[in-house]
Amino acid sequence: MKFGIQWNEKKSVTVPTREIEFQGMLLNSVTNDFSLTQLRRDKIRGLATALRASPNRSVTLFELQRFTGTAAAAHLAIGPKTNIFLRSMLDLMKKERLAPYSHITLS
């Protein structure tokens, strides 16, 4: 019986496991914690480095949104410090109300 459900074999885990990767995070059922995969860590680090390396600390709204969204999605693994750090960026984006490719100067 299929019940109308389609399985994606590449994404399915058919054997019991205590640690599983889901959307760039490792979920551990023994220790009940989340951690980032190396790929996700590298992506966040790369986006942060690109923001810091921008000339005159001027970045587009799109670049800032991309970093903020990626970092916010990892808050379960990083912890509550993420929310405090990202709050200033979110407030800046909210205040500016610019087009996606407008430039913002970071302080």
Side-chain angles (χ1 to χ4, degrees):
M1 255 184 229
K2 284 197 164 200
F3 299 110
I5 298 173
Q6 295 181 358
W7 293 91
N8 186 330
E9 291 294 325
K10 290 190 282 186
K11 294 181 178 181
S12 299
V13 178
T14 57
V15 296
T17 184
R18 293 182 178 169
E19 187 172 85
I20 190 166
E21 183 180 332
F22 180 71
Q23 294 186 347
M25 287 193 278
L26 294 173
L27 308 150
N28 188 318
S29 65
V30 175
T31 59
N32 288 327
D33 70 321
F34 298 87
S35 61
L36 296 177
T37 61
Q38 187 62 46
L39 184 65
R40 176 60 70 93
R41 273 186 251 147
D42 292 343
K43 182 175 182 178
I44 292 171
R45 190 174 290 124
L47 291 171
T49 301
L51 288 178
R52 281 183 280 160
S54 61
N56 300 327
R57 300 190 54 87
S58 177
V59 298
T60 64
L61 178 61
F62 179 76
E63 291 168 327
L64 194 57
Q65 288 171 333
R66 187 170 164 200
F67 171 75
T68 305
T70 304
H75 81 279
L76 287 174
I78 298 173
K81 292 178 185 177
T82 309
N83 297 337
I84 296 167
F85 173 72
L86 294 176
R87 174 57 45 202
S88 60
M89 288 188 181
L90 294 171
D91 289 342
L92 175 65
M93 288 186 287
K94 187 176 170 183
K95 182 180 88 174
E96 293 292 332
R97 298 222 186 258
L98 299 170
Y101 292 99
S102 299
H103 281 266
I104 297 174
T105 302
L106 302 175
S107 56

